[in-house]
Amino acid sequence: MRRHDKASCQVTCGLQRLLEIGEIFIMKFSIVTPSYNQAEFLEEAICSVLDQKGVDLEYIVIDGGSTDGSVDIIRKYEGRLAFWCSEPDGGQYAAINKGFEKATGDVFAWLNSSDIYLPWSFSTVDTIFERFAEVDWVASMHKICIDEMGRFAGFQKVPGFSRNAFIQGMHGSKANPNFIQQETCFWRRSLWEKAGGAIPGDYKFAADFHLWAKFFEHAPLTGMECPLAGFRYHGDQRSGVSHYMDEVEDLLSSMRKDEFEPLHHRIMPIAYLDPQKRSDVQGAAPSGDWSLNAMPNDNFIFEVDDAEAALRKKEYIIRELAEACEKRLELIGKLQMENTLRAQVRKTIRGYFKK
């Protein structure tokens, strides 16, 4: 055996031994992409997953029997996929569940076939999960959108996430379209299992929203001060928007009736790159290191969201004015009745004396 081969073998054996005794733990990311007749965007989505660096990746693609050339694209990358299939299924969420049934990783997420991950997404999420054991799921506070051509189409920053705000409809509702960006959500396998080990099937359109509700029962959502993915606007999304919103409102309504309130109901953790913090930990950014700040409550969400606060204030003022007008009309009606009664009495008395 040559010297460098022997040294390489010793290193490999040493790493294997460390893995066995638990001194080194390498997280595996299991990513599922549901696909159906979106060949126009599919390759870009696949590449955004496979081009991620610095993590152990298990990539699963579940195609619903596409006829537009999607299968040819998947076959092009099948050597780098843990599993793929192309066959009729029960729709997007059924395909995602099918994929996660085959997943063996420690961190789960799914990417729809029209969306993309940013180059640093997995390594950044991996850092957060490794540094902070109390974090069970994350989502970006910097929401990025792209158009059909893959060009930048919008950016929005949200102040954070909490179950309390979720129930109030501030993380998505008919009154507030600031939904949690699904493609930026990553969670530990342990949380997935606590929530039932599958995307709930109660709702056809808003099943992802229902999954977040299930997650919130077990853990707070950590907001990340970092963009992680891009949501693509395209024409095929328009058909289900109204149905999605109807299901969201139905789910929120049922949650508001539930008296269950976990301890983390008002906790709002935020992971951010702290320029004042320095670390020798491998993977720390040159400009600083990651910190986790768990806010004691989420009151400032309502203060920061000026548009929503203004809408609530406007509705409150309108309601107060309406109540005041009703009382004034009631008073006017009462006075009119009294005046009419007095007039009738006076008329009766005059008529009596004229006799």
Side-chain angles (χ1 to χ4, degrees):
M1 180 181 291
R2 288 177 294 183
R3 182 178 299 175
H4 70 273
D5 290 337
K6 184 176 181 180
S8 176
C9 182
Q10 289 174 340
V11 171
T12 302
C13 292
L15 286 173
Q16 181 63 38
R17 176 58 181 156
L18 288 172
L19 286 168
E20 289 173 358
I21 63 177
E23 293 185 18
I24 291 179
F25 179 72
I26 299 176
M27 287 189 183
K28 179 191 286 186
F29 278 58
S30 292
I31 309 299
V32 173
T33 290
S35 167
Y36 183 69
N37 284 343
Q38 287 198 333
E40 181 182 0
F41 311 122
L42 179 60
E43 186 163 21
E44 192 174 359
I46 289 175
C47 289
S48 78
V49 177
L50 295 178
D51 289 348
Q52 297 288 319
K53 295 178 174 60
V55 298
D56 184 11
L57 174 62
E58 176 184 68
Y59 190 23
I60 298 167
V61 178
I62 307 295
D63 184 79
S66 294
T67 57
D68 65 342
S70 293
V71 174
D72 294 331
I73 294 172
I74 297 170
R75 283 202 178 101
K76 180 178 176 181
Y77 297 95
E78 64 181 344
R80 301 173 66 186
L81 302 179
F83 176 85
W84 76 276
C85 67
S86 181
E87 58 192 21
D89 52 42
Q92 176 190 12
Y93 296 115
I96 295 169
N97 280 334
K98 184 192 295 186
F100 283 133
E101 286 174 2
K102 300 184 178 298
T104 62
D106 309 291
V107 177
F108 284 6
W110 84 80
L111 183 74
N112 292 326
S113 54
S114 58
D115 301 328
I116 60 169
Y117 285 125
L118 300 179
W120 54 80
S121 299
F122 291 10
S123 59
T124 304
V125 171
D126 179 69
T127 297
I128 299 304
F129 280 135
E130 284 188 347
R131 305 277 178 85
F132 308 110
E134 63 269 40
V135 174
D136 283 320
W137 63 309
V138 300
S140 176
M141 296 160 58
H142 299 263
K143 299 161 65 174
I144 293 176
C145 296
I146 60 176
D147 66 12
E148 294 191 12
M149 301 297 293
R151 298 170 299 196
F152 176 75
F155 170 84
Q156 180 186 23
K157 185 180 185 301
V158 296
F161 308 102
S162 79
R163 184 177 184 269
N164 184 40
F166 184 84
I167 292 174
Q168 296 302 318
M170 296 194 68
H171 298 331
S173 64
K174 287 184 177 180
N176 191 327
N178 298 329
F179 285 86
I180 295 169
Q181 191 176 14
Q182 170 271 311
E183 55 274 11
T184 71
C185 288
F186 295 79
W187 58 90
R188 296 184 191 269
R189 169 190 280 274
S190 56
L191 178 60
W192 174 255
E193 292 171 349
K194 288 178 185 176
I199 297 175
D202 305 61
Y203 295 97
K204 178 181 178 181
F205 295 93
D208 57 344
F209 195 82
H210 194 187
L211 181 64
W212 310 150
K214 291 289 187 182
F215 282 176
F216 268 124
E217 292 180 5
H218 302 282
L221 172 56
T222 297
M224 288 189 60
E225 283 273 16
C226 173
L228 296 173
F231 170 81
R232 190 189 302 268
Y233 288 118
H234 59 88
D236 293 341
Q237 296 159 333
R238 300 187 185 109
S239 60
V241 171
S242 62
H243 297 296
Y244 188 96
M245 289 297 189
D246 289 340
E247 291 185 355
V248 164
E249 293 298 331
D250 182 69
L251 176 59
L252 290 177
S253 177
S254 64
M255 290 182 71
R256 289 167 189 150
K257 297 175 184 176
D258 191 355
E259 296 181 358
F260 170 73
E261 184 173 337
L263 293 176
H264 59 267
H265 181 69
R266 298 182 66 83
I267 297 300
M268 187 167 55
I270 295 174
Y272 63 99
L273 195 61
D274 187 351
Q276 305 301 320
K277 186 176 179 182
R278 294 291 182 267
S279 175
D280 295 330
V281 177
Q282 185 177 3
S287 58
D289 199 4
W290 286 93
S291 294
L292 182 66
N293 182 18
M295 305 293 290
N297 59 64
D298 61 357
N299 289 338
F300 89 93
I301 276 188
F302 298 95
E303 297 169 3
V304 172
D305 197 329
D306 295 332
E308 188 71 13
L311 178 61
R312 285 196 304 275
K313 186 175 181 180
K314 180 180 178 182
E315 290 175 348
Y316 178 75
I317 292 172
I318 291 173
R319 187 166 61 250
E320 276 196 330
L321 287 172
E323 290 174 358
C325 288
E326 287 176 1
K327 289 179 180 178
R328 180 65 61 86
L329 289 171
E330 184 180 346
L331 178 60
I332 291 172
K334 185 177 179 181
L335 290 173
Q336 286 176 338
M337 288 179 63
E338 290 176 355
N339 288 335
T340 301
L341 182 60
R342 289 193 189 99
Q344 288 175 346
V345 170
R346 286 196 295 268
K347 184 178 180 181
T348 301
I349 292 173
R350 289 192 193 104
Y352 176 80
F353 283 108
K354 284 181 180 179
K355 292 178 181 179

